Amino acid sequence: MPPSGFNRNIVEGALTFVRGCYIELLHEVKSGKHASYEAAIEYELGQIEKVLSRMHITPEGELIER
């Protein structure tokens, strides 16, 4: 059951996005791209924030780009 106000597609999309972020982050950490785990997490949080600043959920529960 999705959280109140969100339809199943939105929740599934959000979880797919988060999964992709973690997969990418794991690859970057293993490859040595970041100086530390903390730096990797901070970088990924910044990337997620960039996406969130461009997205909006309509009153109908649809995810759209601003």
Side-chain angles (χ1 to χ4, degrees):
M1 182 77 166
S4 178
F6 294 92
N7 69 38
R8 183 177 179 92
N9 291 335
I10 294 294
V11 173
E12 286 179 6
L15 291 174
T16 299
F17 172 73
V18 171
R19 181 179 181 272
C21 291
Y22 274 105
I23 290 170
E24 181 181 349
L25 181 61
L26 181 60
H27 174 73
E28 290 178 357
V29 168
K30 286 182 175 181
S31 72
K33 178 178 177 178
H34 303 283
S36 67
Y37 293 119
E38 292 85 359
I41 292 169
E42 287 176 12
Y43 173 81
E44 196 62 30
L45 286 172
Q47 295 296 94
I48 292 169
E49 193 62 38
K50 286 179 188 177
V51 172
L52 289 174
S53 71
R54 295 188 349 235
M55 303 307 292
H56 174 71
I57 299 175
T58 67
E60 295 78 29
E62 296 179 8
L63 187 62
I64 60 170
E65 191 166 350
R66 291 183 194 256

Coordinates of all heavy atoms in Angstrom, one line a residue:
M1 N 0.8 -1.2 0.0 CA 0.0 0.0 0.0 C 0.9 1.2 0.0 O 1.7 1.4 0.9 CB -0.9 0.0 1.2 CG -1.8 1.1 1.3 SD -3.2 0.8 0.2 CE -4.4 1.9 0.8
P2 N 0.8 2.1 -1.0 CA 1.6 3.3 -1.1 C 1.2 4.3 0.0 O 0.1 4.2 0.5 CB 1.3 3.9 -2.5 CG 0.3 3.0 -3.1 CD 0.0 1.9 -2.2
P3 N 2.1 5.2 0.4 CA 1.7 6.2 1.3 C 0.5 7.1 0.8 O 0.3 7.2 -0.4 CB 3.0 7.1 1.4 CG 4.1 6.3 0.8 CD 3.4 5.3 -0.1
S4 N -0.2 7.6 1.7 CA -1.4 8.4 1.4 C -1.0 9.5 0.4 O -0.1 10.2 0.6 CB -2.0 9.0 2.6 OG -3.1 9.8 2.3
G5 N -1.8 9.6 -0.7 CA -1.6 10.7 -1.6 C -0.7 10.3 -2.8 O -0.4 11.1 -3.7
F6 N -0.1 9.1 -2.8 CA 0.8 8.7 -3.8 C 0.3 7.4 -4.4 O -0.1 6.5 -3.8 CB 2.2 8.4 -3.3 CG 2.9 9.6 -2.7 CD1 2.8 9.9 -1.4 CD2 3.7 10.4 -3.6 CE1 3.5 11.0 -0.9 CE2 4.3 11.5 -3.1 CZ 4.2 11.9 -1.7
N7 N 0.3 7.4 -5.8 CA -0.2 6.1 -6.4 C 1.0 5.1 -6.5 O 2.1 5.5 -6.4 CB -0.9 6.4 -7.7 CG 0.1 6.9 -8.8 OD1 1.2 6.4 -8.9 ND2 -0.4 7.8 -9.7
R8 N 0.6 3.9 -6.9 CA 1.6 2.8 -6.9 C 2.7 3.1 -7.9 O 3.9 2.8 -7.6 CB 0.9 1.5 -7.3 CG 1.7 0.3 -7.3 CD 0.9 -0.9 -7.7 NE 1.8 -2.1 -7.7 CZ 2.0 -2.9 -6.7 NH1 1.4 -2.6 -5.5 NH2 2.8 -3.9 -6.8
N9 N 2.4 3.7 -9.0 CA 3.4 4.0 -10.0 C 4.5 5.0 -9.5 O 5.6 4.8 -9.8 CB 2.8 4.5 -11.3 CG 2.0 3.5 -12.1 OD1 2.3 2.3 -11.9 ND2 1.0 3.9 -12.8
I10 N 4.0 6.0 -8.8 CA 4.9 7.0 -8.2 C 5.9 6.3 -7.2 O 7.1 6.5 -7.2 CB 4.2 8.1 -7.5 CG1 3.4 8.9 -8.5 CG2 5.1 9.0 -6.7 CD1 4.2 9.7 -9.5
V11 N 5.3 5.5 -6.4 CA 6.2 4.8 -5.3 C 7.1 3.8 -6.0 O 8.3 3.8 -5.7 CB 5.3 4.0 -4.3 CG1 6.1 3.2 -3.4 CG2 4.4 5.0 -3.5
E12 N 6.7 3.1 -7.0 CA 7.6 2.2 -7.7 C 8.7 2.9 -8.4 O 9.8 2.5 -8.4 CB 6.8 1.3 -8.7 CG 6.0 0.2 -8.0 CD 5.2 -0.6 -9.0 OE1 5.3 -0.5 -10.2 OE2 4.4 -1.5 -8.5
G13 N 8.3 4.0 -9.1 CA 9.3 4.9 -9.8 C 10.3 5.4 -8.8 O 11.5 5.4 -9.1
A14 N 9.9 5.9 -7.7 CA 10.8 6.4 -6.7 C 11.8 5.3 -6.2 O 13.0 5.6 -6.0 CB 10.1 7.0 -5.5
L15 N 11.3 4.2 -5.9 CA 12.1 3.1 -5.4 C 13.1 2.6 -6.5 O 14.3 2.3 -6.2 CB 11.3 1.9 -5.0 CG 10.5 2.2 -3.7 CD1 9.6 1.0 -3.4 CD2 11.4 2.4 -2.5
T16 N 12.7 2.6 -7.8 CA 13.6 2.3 -8.9 C 14.7 3.3 -9.0 O 15.8 3.0 -9.2 CB 12.8 2.2 -10.2 OG1 11.8 1.2 -10.1 CG2 13.7 1.9 -11.4
F17 N 14.3 4.6 -8.8 CA 15.3 5.6 -8.9 C 16.3 5.5 -7.7 O 17.6 5.5 -8.0 CB 14.6 7.0 -8.7 CG 15.6 8.2 -8.6 CD1 16.3 8.6 -9.6 CD2 15.7 8.8 -7.4 CE1 17.2 9.7 -9.5 CE2 16.5 9.9 -7.2 CZ 17.3 10.3 -8.3
V18 N 15.9 5.2 -6.5 CA 16.8 5.1 -5.4 C 17.7 3.8 -5.6 O 18.9 3.9 -5.3 CB 16.0 5.0 -4.0 CG1 16.8 4.6 -2.9 CG2 15.3 6.3 -3.8
R19 N 17.1 2.8 -6.1 CA 17.9 1.6 -6.3 C 19.0 1.9 -7.3 O 20.2 1.5 -7.1 CB 17.0 0.5 -6.9 CG 17.8 -0.8 -7.2 CD 16.8 -1.9 -7.8 NE 17.5 -3.1 -8.0 CZ 18.1 -3.4 -9.2 NH1 18.1 -2.6 -10.2 NH2 18.7 -4.6 -9.3
G20 N 18.7 2.6 -8.4 CA 19.7 3.0 -9.4 C 20.8 3.9 -8.7 O 22.0 3.7 -9.1
C21 N 20.4 4.7 -7.8 CA 21.4 5.6 -7.2 C 22.4 4.7 -6.3 O 23.6 5.0 -6.4 CB 20.7 6.6 -6.3 SG 19.8 7.9 -7.2
Y22 N 21.8 3.8 -5.6 CA 22.7 2.9 -4.8 C 23.6 2.0 -5.7 O 24.7 1.8 -5.3 CB 21.8 2.0 -3.9 CG 21.5 2.7 -2.6 CD1 20.2 3.1 -2.4 CD2 22.4 2.8 -1.6 CE1 19.8 3.8 -1.2 CE2 22.1 3.4 -0.4 CZ 20.8 3.9 -0.2 OH 20.4 4.5 1.0
I23 N 23.1 1.5 -6.8 CA 23.9 0.7 -7.7 C 25.1 1.5 -8.2 O 26.2 1.1 -8.2 CB 23.1 0.1 -8.8 CG1 22.1 -1.0 -8.3 CG2 24.0 -0.5 -9.9 CD1 21.1 -1.4 -9.3
E24 N 24.8 2.7 -8.6 CA 25.8 3.6 -9.1 C 26.8 4.0 -8.0 O 28.0 4.0 -8.3 CB 25.2 4.9 -9.7 CG 26.2 5.9 -10.3 CD 25.5 7.1 -10.8 OE1 24.3 7.2 -10.9 OE2 26.2 8.1 -11.1
L25 N 26.3 4.3 -6.9 CA 27.2 4.6 -5.7 C 28.1 3.5 -5.4 O 29.3 3.7 -5.2 CB 26.3 5.0 -4.5 CG 27.1 5.5 -3.3 CD1 27.9 6.7 -3.6 CD2 26.1 5.7 -2.2
L26 N 27.6 2.3 -5.3 CA 28.4 1.1 -5.0 C 29.5 1.0 -6.1 O 30.7 0.7 -5.7 CB 27.5 -0.1 -5.0 CG 28.3 -1.4 -4.6 CD1 28.9 -1.4 -3.3 CD2 27.3 -2.6 -4.7
H27 N 29.2 1.1 -7.3 CA 30.2 1.0 -8.4 C 31.3 2.1 -8.2 O 32.5 1.8 -8.4 CB 29.5 1.1 -9.8 CG 30.5 1.2 -10.9 ND1 31.2 0.1 -11.3 CD2 30.9 2.2 -11.7 CE1 31.9 0.4 -12.3 NE2 31.8 1.7 -12.6
E28 N 30.8 3.3 -7.9 CA 31.8 4.4 -7.8 C 32.7 4.2 -6.6 O 33.9 4.4 -6.6 CB 31.1 5.7 -7.6 CG 30.4 6.2 -8.9 CD 29.7 7.5 -8.8 OE1 29.6 8.0 -7.7 OE2 29.2 7.9 -9.9
V29 N 32.2 3.7 -5.5 CA 33.0 3.4 -4.3 C 34.0 2.3 -4.6 O 35.2 2.4 -4.2 CB 32.1 3.0 -3.1 CG1 32.9 2.4 -1.9 CG2 31.3 4.2 -2.6
K30 N 33.5 1.2 -5.2 CA 34.4 0.1 -5.5 C 35.5 0.5 -6.5 O 36.6 0.0 -6.4 CB 33.6 -1.1 -6.2 CG 32.8 -1.8 -5.1 CD 32.1 -3.0 -5.8 CE 31.4 -3.9 -4.8 NZ 30.7 -5.0 -5.4
S31 N 35.2 1.5 -7.4 CA 36.2 1.9 -8.4 C 37.2 2.9 -7.8 O 38.2 3.3 -8.5 CB 35.5 2.5 -9.6 OG 35.0 3.8 -9.3
G32 N 36.9 3.4 -6.6 CA 37.8 4.4 -6.0 C 37.6 5.8 -6.4 O 38.5 6.7 -6.2
K33 N 36.5 6.1 -7.0 CA 36.2 7.4 -7.5 C 36.2 8.5 -6.3 O 36.5 9.6 -6.5 CB 34.8 7.5 -8.2 CG 34.4 8.8 -8.7 CD 33.1 8.8 -9.5 CE 32.7 10.2 -9.9 NZ 31.5 10.2 -10.7
H34 N 35.7 8.0 -5.1 CA 35.6 9.0 -4.0 C 36.7 8.7 -3.0 O 37.1 7.5 -2.8 CB 34.2 8.8 -3.4 CG 33.1 9.1 -4.4 ND1 32.8 10.4 -4.8 CD2 32.3 8.3 -5.1 CE1 31.8 10.3 -5.7 NE2 31.5 9.0 -5.9
A35 N 37.1 9.7 -2.3 CA 38.1 9.5 -1.2 C 37.7 8.7 0.0 O 38.5 8.1 0.7 CB 38.6 10.9 -0.8
S36 N 36.4 8.7 0.2 CA 35.9 8.0 1.4 C 34.4 7.6 1.2 O 33.8 8.2 0.3 CB 36.0 8.8 2.7 OG 35.1 10.0 2.6
Y37 N 33.9 6.8 2.0 CA 32.5 6.5 2.0 C 31.6 7.7 2.2 O 30.6 7.9 1.6 CB 32.1 5.4 3.0 CG 32.7 4.0 2.7 CD1 33.6 3.4 3.6 CD2 32.4 3.3 1.5 CE1 34.1 2.2 3.3 CE2 33.0 2.1 1.3 CZ 33.8 1.5 2.2 OH 34.4 0.3 1.9
E38 N 32.1 8.5 3.2 CA 31.4 9.7 3.5 C 31.3 10.7 2.3 O 30.2 11.2 2.0 CB 32.0 10.5 4.7 CG 31.9 9.7 6.0 CD 33.0 8.7 6.2 OE1 33.9 8.5 5.3 OE2 32.9 8.0 7.3
A39 N 32.4 10.8 1.6 CA 32.5 11.7 0.4 C 31.5 11.1 -0.7 O 30.9 11.9 -1.4 CB 33.9 11.8 -0.1
A40 N 31.5 9.8 -0.8 CA 30.6 9.2 -1.8 C 29.2 9.4 -1.5 O 28.4 9.8 -2.4 CB 30.9 7.7 -1.9
I41 N 28.8 9.3 -0.3 CA 27.4 9.5 0.1 C 27.0 11.0 0.0 O 26.0 11.3 -0.6 CB 27.2 9.0 1.6 CG1 27.3 7.5 1.6 CG2 25.8 9.5 2.1 CD1 27.4 6.9 3.0
E42 N 27.9 11.9 0.3 CA 27.6 13.3 0.2 C 27.5 13.7 -1.3 O 26.6 14.4 -1.7 CB 28.7 14.2 0.8 CG 28.7 14.1 2.3 CD 29.9 14.9 2.9 OE1 30.6 15.7 2.2 OE2 30.0 14.8 4.2
Y43 N 28.3 13.1 -2.2 CA 28.2 13.3 -3.6 C 26.8 12.8 -4.1 O 26.2 13.5 -4.8 CB 29.3 12.6 -4.3 CG 29.2 12.7 -5.8 CD1 29.6 13.8 -6.5 CD2 28.7 11.6 -6.6 CE1 29.5 13.9 -7.9 CE2 28.5 11.7 -7.9 CZ 28.9 12.8 -8.6 OH 28.8 12.9 -10.0
E44 N 26.5 11.6 -3.7 CA 25.2 11.0 -4.2 C 24.0 11.8 -3.7 O 23.1 12.0 -4.4 CB 25.1 9.6 -3.8 CG 24.1 8.8 -4.6 CD 24.4 8.7 -6.1 OE1 25.5 8.8 -6.5 OE2 23.4 8.7 -6.9
L45 N 24.1 12.3 -2.5 CA 23.0 13.1 -1.9 C 22.8 14.4 -2.8 O 21.7 14.8 -3.0 CB 23.2 13.4 -0.5 CG 23.0 12.3 0.5 CD1 23.4 12.7 1.9 CD2 21.5 11.9 0.5
G46 N 23.9 14.9 -3.2 CA 23.9 16.1 -4.0 C 23.3 15.9 -5.4 O 22.5 16.7 -5.9
Q47 N 23.6 14.7 -5.9 CA 23.0 14.3 -7.2 C 21.5 14.1 -7.1 O 20.7 14.6 -7.9 CB 23.6 13.0 -7.7 CG 25.1 13.1 -8.1 CD 25.3 14.1 -9.2 OE1 25.6 15.2 -9.0 NE2 25.2 13.6 -10.4
I48 N 21.1 13.4 -6.0 CA 19.6 13.2 -5.8 C 18.9 14.6 -5.6 O 17.8 14.8 -6.1 CB 19.4 12.3 -4.6 CG1 19.9 10.9 -4.9 CG2 18.0 12.3 -4.1 CD1 20.0 9.9 -3.7
E49 N 19.6 15.5 -4.9 CA 19.0 16.8 -4.6 C 18.8 17.6 -5.9 O 17.8 18.2 -6.1 CB 19.8 17.6 -3.7 CG 19.2 18.8 -3.1 CD 17.9 18.6 -2.3 OE1 17.9 17.6 -1.6 OE2 17.0 19.3 -2.4
K50 N 19.7 17.4 -6.9 CA 19.6 18.1 -8.2 C 18.4 17.6 -8.9 O 17.6 18.3 -9.5 CB 20.8 17.8 -9.0 CG 22.1 18.6 -8.6 CD 23.2 18.3 -9.5 CE 24.5 18.9 -9.0 NZ 25.7 18.5 -9.9
V51 N 18.2 16.3 -8.9 CA 17.0 15.7 -9.5 C 15.7 16.1 -8.8 O 14.8 16.5 -9.5 CB 17.1 14.1 -9.5 CG1 15.8 13.5 -10.0 CG2 18.2 13.7 -10.4
L52 N 15.7 16.1 -7.5 CA 14.5 16.5 -6.8 C 14.1 17.9 -7.0 O 12.9 18.3 -7.1 CB 14.7 16.3 -5.3 CG 14.7 14.8 -4.8 CD1 15.0 14.7 -3.4 CD2 13.4 14.1 -5.1
S53 N 15.1 18.8 -7.2 CA 14.8 20.2 -7.5 C 14.2 20.4 -8.8 O 13.5 21.5 -9.1 CB 16.1 21.0 -7.4 OG 17.0 20.8 -8.4
R54 N 14.3 19.4 -9.7 CA 13.7 19.6 -11.1 C 12.4 18.8 -11.2 O 11.8 18.9 -12.3 CB 14.7 19.0 -12.1 CG 16.0 19.8 -12.2 CD 16.9 19.4 -13.4 NE 16.5 18.2 -14.1 CZ 17.4 17.2 -14.2 NH1 18.6 17.2 -13.8 NH2 17.0 16.1 -14.9
M55 N 12.0 18.0 -10.2 CA 10.8 17.2 -10.3 C 9.7 17.8 -9.4 O 10.0 18.4 -8.4 CB 11.1 15.8 -9.9 CG 12.2 15.1 -10.8 SD 12.0 15.2 -12.6 CE 10.6 14.2 -12.8
H56 N 8.5 17.4 -9.7 CA 7.3 17.9 -9.0 C 6.2 16.8 -9.1 O 6.0 16.2 -10.1 CB 6.8 19.2 -9.5 CG 5.5 19.7 -8.9 ND1 5.5 20.2 -7.6 CD2 4.3 19.7 -9.4 CE1 4.2 20.5 -7.4 NE2 3.5 20.2 -8.4
I57 N 5.5 16.6 -8.0 CA 4.4 15.7 -8.0 C 3.1 16.5 -8.0 O 2.9 17.3 -7.1 CB 4.4 14.7 -6.7 CG1 5.7 13.9 -6.7 CG2 3.2 13.8 -6.7 CD1 5.9 13.0 -5.5
T58 N 2.3 16.3 -9.0 CA 1.1 17.0 -9.2 C 0.0 16.5 -8.2 O 0.2 15.5 -7.6 CB 0.5 16.8 -10.6 OG1 0.1 15.4 -10.7 CG2 1.5 17.1 -11.7
P59 N -1.0 17.3 -8.0 CA -2.1 16.9 -7.1 C -2.7 15.6 -7.5 O -3.3 14.9 -6.6 CB -3.1 18.0 -7.1 CG -2.3 19.2 -7.6 CD -1.2 18.7 -8.5
E60 N -2.6 15.2 -8.8 CA -3.1 13.9 -9.2 C -2.2 12.8 -9.0 O -2.4 11.7 -9.3 CB -3.4 14.0 -10.7 CG -4.5 15.0 -11.1 CD -4.1 16.4 -11.1 OE1 -2.9 16.7 -11.3 OE2 -4.9 17.3 -10.8
G61 N -1.0 13.1 -8.4 CA 0.0 12.0 -8.1 C 0.9 11.7 -9.3 O 1.6 10.7 -9.2
E62 N 1.1 12.6 -10.2 CA 1.9 12.3 -11.4 C 3.3 13.1 -11.2 O 3.3 14.2 -10.7 CB 1.3 12.8 -12.7 CG 0.1 12.0 -13.0 CD -0.6 12.5 -14.3 OE1 0.0 13.4 -15.0 OE2 -1.7 12.1 -14.6
L63 N 4.4 12.4 -11.5 CA 5.7 13.0 -11.4 C 6.0 13.7 -12.7 O 6.0 13.1 -13.8 CB 6.7 11.9 -11.1 CG 8.1 12.3 -10.8 CD1 8.2 13.2 -9.5 CD2 9.0 11.1 -10.7
I64 N 6.3 15.0 -12.6 CA 6.6 15.8 -13.8 C 7.9 16.6 -13.6 O 8.2 16.9 -12.5 CB 5.4 16.7 -14.2 CG1 5.1 17.7 -13.1 CG2 4.2 15.9 -14.6 CD1 4.2 18.8 -13.5
E65 N 8.5 17.0 -14.7 CA 9.6 17.9 -14.6 C 9.2 19.3 -14.5 O 8.2 19.7 -15.2 CB 10.6 17.7 -15.8 CG 11.9 18.4 -15.6 CD 12.9 17.9 -16.6 OE1 12.7 17.0 -17.4 OE2 14.0 18.6 -16.7
R66 N 9.8 20.1 -13.6 CA 9.4 21.5 -13.5 C 9.7 22.3 -14.7 O 10.6 22.1 -15.4 CB 10.1 22.1 -12.3 CG 9.6 21.6 -11.0 CD 10.4 22.3 -9.8 NE 10.2 21.6 -8.6 CZ 9.4 21.9 -7.6 NH1 8.6 23.0 -7.7 NH2 9.3 21.2 -6.6

